[in-house]
């Protein structure tokens, strides 16, 4: 018995699968959730949480050792040139304990906090983004994190010591015809005695080429004694029947060990199943609640590097008798990089410390950090290329060959571009965050706007919604943001926090109006929902920047400069927020849909005339029919 090549599912079924995987309850407070409801809960993030002294001692000691290793053992130019992280570099990271940064010391790991784990990734990623991706994929979404959250004690005892020191892990969910729509997942796991038999093909398996252990998502068919559904398994990468058929190559992250992995009658012990059958997607999403923070952490590292290069280059390069930094056109870009790097670091540090304290539910904060970090990180890298001009477009190797400093600005832009796609594309993140942002509304009024709900269900929903909105709507009329002396302890930043409070209420009113206007069609208004989320991301970043600046001022650490950066960022952010608010109701969404219909209907093919397409005529999506592999495996574990 094998799984089908693809699964044809309806839009309703796909949404049901995604909804079932959500973590439904809100057992802890959430700053971002409250923000989308128009409630600015500054008390949830201020005073800025601080790490324990022992966590700081352990974290700083490791960062010092890691910095020395990065300076002496990681050759970013070589990795870019050869398209591979040298085995000796990976072995050195293992000896340093970098594979076990987040694994508890009782399993042989370093037991670092989320804060220091993210700082370590930012450091490594600044030298070699591909190496940072290897460490992140192993620990943030690979075997260690899901086992920490959902594994049995036996599984932890068996696998975590290996992951801490010797074994690299990978996470396998995506398939050639399955991306962000897991309802169509086709890889099967058929129960057979005390085992499951896996068949299928997985695409874009980061670390898959060198992995020793895999987390595999596969569909168990429902049968007697088996609930079935998408299920998570720990799988030995060298198990019979596993073939790494291809090592993928990309525009950036050229050292990334990412491949295509085929499973053919691979036997996996039932004892290696993580959680119950059908819990695979919930495990994956819960793992990503904090796992997503690793990506914006590396974006922080990129921003810091972009700022350093922009500062040094713009002071050295002269145009028309002055350093280019003194020309407003360039200076504005440098200010954007500096202010945005400060804000992005504030977001990551705040969310990470909140994750360590475990007092708040940070699922929305982590998602916003990933969304905002990936978008802003890419913009900062692009602005650096522009500041560098022709040298920004030239490779570091070419610069060095003709006698100039080898600055890999174009590589950074290429490496950063994937972050808008990795671990949930920007478009998917918009929808995911929007779903969480309107959760309170759907909880009380979901049946009221659901065309499939019965009249009785609609009646009960109407009564429930009436009570909720009677209490909630009046809170959106006035608030502390309208009082001129509110948040005075923040000094010159108080006005920005008042703006955030007012904007949060405005955002909540806009969301309520949109739900009233579109009701069940709200989920199709992806342009509107994306702007709602982008406004929330900006407000969260402004809040984090102000709180961090005040924290640095209170501790006497660059307080004045931090306030200036926070002020610059908030002023820049407010311009973006005001524009987004305007675009909520004044946009081209309806016209865009008509143009798209014309494009797909062939109405504009005349516009494509006059060019030649250099693409070949192969299939858009590779065949993923289950069965034995026809190629030799390129799997190469690093010992």
């Amino acid at each position: 018995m094998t799984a089908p090549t693809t699964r044809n599912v309806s839009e309703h079924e796909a949404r049901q699968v995604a909804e079932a995987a959500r973590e439904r309850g809100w057992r802890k407070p959430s700053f971002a959730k409250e923000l989308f409801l128009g409630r600015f809960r500054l008390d949830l993030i201020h005073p800025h949480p601080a790490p324990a002294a022992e966590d700081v001692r352990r974290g700083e000691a490791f960062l010092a050792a890691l910095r020395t290793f990065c300076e002496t053992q990681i050759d970013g130019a070589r990795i870019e040139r050869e398209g591979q992280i040298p085995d000796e570099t990976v072995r050195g990271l293992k000896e340093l304990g970098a594979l076990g940064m987040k694994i508890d010391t009782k399993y042989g790991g370093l037991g670092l906090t989320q804060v220091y784990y993210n700082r370590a990734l930012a450091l490594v990623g600044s030298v070699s983004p591909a190496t940072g991706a290897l460490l992140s994929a192993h620990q943030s979404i690979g075997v260690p994190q899901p086992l920490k959250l959902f594994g049995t004690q036996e599984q932890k005892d068996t696998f975590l010591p290996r992951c801490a020191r010797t074994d690299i892990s990978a996470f396998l969910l995506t398939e050639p015809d399955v991306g962000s729509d897991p309802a169509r997942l086709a890889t099967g796991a058929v129960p057979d005695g005390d085992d499951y038999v896996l068949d299928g093909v997985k695409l874009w398996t980061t670390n898959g080429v060198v992995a020793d252990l895999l987390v595999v998502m596969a569909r168990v068919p429902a049968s007697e004694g088996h609930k079935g559904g998408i299920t998570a398994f720990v799988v030995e990468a060298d198990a019979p029947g596993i073939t790494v058929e291809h090592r993928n190559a990309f525009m950036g992250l050229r050292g990334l060990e990412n491949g295509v992995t085929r499973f053919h009658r691979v036997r996996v012990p039932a004892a290696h199943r993580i959680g119950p059958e059908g819990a695979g997607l919930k495990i994956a999403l819960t793992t990503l609640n904090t796992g997503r923070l690793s990506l914006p952490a590396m974006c922080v590292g990129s921003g810091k590097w972009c700022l350093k290069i922009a500062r040094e280059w713009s002071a050295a390069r002269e145009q028309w008798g002055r350093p280019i930094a003194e020309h407003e056109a360039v200076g504005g870009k440098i200010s954007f990089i500096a202010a945005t790097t400060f804000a992005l670091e504030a977001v990551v540090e705040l969310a990470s410390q909140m994750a360590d304290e475990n007092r708040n539910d940070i699922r929305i904060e982590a998602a916003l950090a990933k969304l905002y970090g990936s978008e802003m990180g890419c913009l900062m890298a692009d602005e650096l290329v522009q500041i560098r001009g022709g040298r920004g477009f030239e490779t570091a190797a070419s610069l060095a060959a003709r006698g100039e400093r080898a600055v890999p600005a174009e590589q950074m832009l290429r490496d950063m571009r994937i972050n808008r796609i990795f671990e949930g594309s920007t478009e998917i993140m918009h929808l995911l965050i929007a779903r969480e942002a309107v959760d309170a509304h759907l909880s009380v009024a979901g049946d009221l706007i659901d065309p499939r709900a019965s009249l009785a269900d609609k009646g009960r929903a109407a009564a429930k919604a009436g009570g909720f909105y009677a209490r909630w709507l009046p809170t959106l009329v006035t608030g502390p943001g309208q009082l001129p002396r509110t948040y005075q302890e923040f000094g010159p930043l108080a006005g920005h926090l008042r703006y955030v409070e007012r904007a949060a209420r405005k955002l909540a009113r806009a969301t309520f109006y949109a739900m009233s206007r579109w009701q069940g069609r709200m989920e199709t208004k992806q342009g509107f929902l994306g702007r709602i989320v982008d406004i929330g991301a900006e407000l969260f970043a402004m809040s984090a920047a102000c709180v961090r600046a005040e924290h640095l001022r209170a501790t006497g650490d660059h307080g004045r400069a931090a306030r200036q950066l926070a002020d610059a960022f908030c002023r820049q952010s407010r311009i973006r927020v005001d524009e987004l608010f305007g675009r909520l109701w004044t946009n081209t969404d309806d016209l865009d849909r008509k143009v798209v219909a014309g494009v797909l209907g062939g109405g504009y093919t005349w516009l494509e005339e006059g060019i030649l397409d250099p693409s070949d005529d192969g299939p858009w999506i590779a065949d993923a029919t289950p069965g034995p592999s026809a190629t030799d495996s390129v799997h190469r574990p690093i010992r």
Side-chain angles (χ1 to χ4, degrees), residues 66 70 74 93 119-129 131-132 135 298:
L66 182 64
C70 289
I74 299 181
L93 289 169
R119 290 180 184 177
L121 290 178
L123 176 60
V124 174
S126 66
V127 181
S128 168
T131 305
L135 293 174
M298 287 187 283

Side-chain angles (χ1 to χ4, degrees), residues 232-554:
F233 300 90
V234 178
V235 182
E236 299 281 358
D238 61 357
I242 297 180
T243 305
V244 180
E245 296 188 325
H246 179 69
R247 183 181 188 270
N248 301 317
F250 304 101
M251 67 180 285
L253 295 182
R254 290 181 176 171
L256 199 67
E257 299 289 355
N258 181 293
V260 178
T261 304
R262 178 178 292 271
F263 298 86
H264 177 58
R265 299 176 183 172
V266 178
R267 302 192 74 85
V268 180
H272 291 186
R273 187 188 70 217
I274 308 175
E277 290 182 357
L281 286 183
K282 185 179 289 290
I283 289 172
L285 291 178
T286 304
T287 297
L288 284 172
N289 280 347
T290 54
R292 282 197 175 98
L293 291 174
S294 63
L295 192 150
M298 287 187 283
C299 292
V300 169
S302 171
K304 289 173 178 285
W305 181 81
C306 288
L307 180 60
K308 178 181 184 295
I309 297 301
R311 173 179 58 81
E312 294 176 349
W313 165 248
S314 59
R317 172 66 165 165
E318 290 189 0
Q319 288 278 59
W320 300 299
R322 289 189 295 168
I324 60 171
E326 296 180 11
H327 293 286
E328 198 169 88
V330 175
K333 298 180 187 301
I334 297 172
S335 175
F336 166 75
I337 293 173
T340 304
T341 297
F342 176 82
L344 186 52
E345 184 173 41
V347 166
V348 173
E349 288 277 315
L350 178 61
S352 299
Q353 189 59 50
M354 290 167 71
D356 288 330
E357 290 193 344
N358 201 28
R359 288 189 296 112
N360 293 351
D361 187 323
I362 66 158
R363 74 183 85 160
I364 302 181
E365 287 85 344
L368 287 172
K370 189 276 175 189
L371 168 70
Y372 198 71
S374 60
E375 290 292 322
M376 288 303 189
C378 205
L379 276 175
M380 288 189 289
D382 187 65
E383 290 289 45
L384 176 65
V385 168
Q386 192 69 19
I387 291 171
R388 288 275 291 161
R391 291 172 173 85
F393 193 67
E394 191 173 0
T395 68
S398 177
L399 288 165
R402 62 182 185 80
E404 291 194 0
R405 183 175 300 183
V407 178
E410 59 85 27
Q411 180 195 334
M412 181 60 73
L413 180 57
R414 287 188 287 102
D415 288 344
M416 290 294 292
R417 183 60 182 83
I418 187 57
N419 293 334
R420 297 176 60 201
I421 300 171
F422 259 171
E423 297 181 19
S425 68
T426 290
E427 293 72 26
I428 291 299
M429 296 306 296
H430 276 151
L431 299 181
L432 184 152
I433 298 168
R435 172 61 186 86
E436 299 296 348
V438 302
D439 184 55
H441 300 283
L442 295 180
S443 296
V444 299
D447 285 338
L448 195 61
I449 63 177
D450 186 350
R452 294 176 296 272
S454 67
L455 288 177
D457 289 338
K458 287 182 180 292
R460 284 189 290 270
K464 187 177 180 181
F468 171 79
Y469 290 120
R471 295 187 302 273
W472 177 66
L473 287 173
T475 67
L476 304 183
V477 179
T478 60
Q482 293 169 288
L483 303 177
R485 299 185 64 82
T486 309
Y487 313 123
Q488 283 301 301
E489 67 269 29
F490 285 84
L493 301 180
H496 297 311
L497 292 179
R498 289 195 292 270
Y499 175 89
V500 172
E501 195 279 334
R502 296 193 305 271
R505 287 186 283 111
K506 183 178 180 180
L507 183 64
R509 292 194 301 268
T511 303
F512 173 74
Y513 172 71
M515 290 192 68
S516 303
R517 175 179 175 181
W518 292 313
Q519 298 186 31
R521 293 185 294 126
M522 179 80 160
E523 63 185 20
T524 69
K525 303 297 182 179
Q526 294 180 2
F528 177 89
L529 292 173
R531 296 177 198 112
I532 286 287
V533 170
D534 285 340
I535 292 171
E538 294 282 3
L539 299 182
F540 177 42
M542 290 173 66
S543 304
C546 291
V547 168
R548 180 166 177 78
E550 174 59 18
H551 173 69
L552 294 177
R553 185 203 64 80

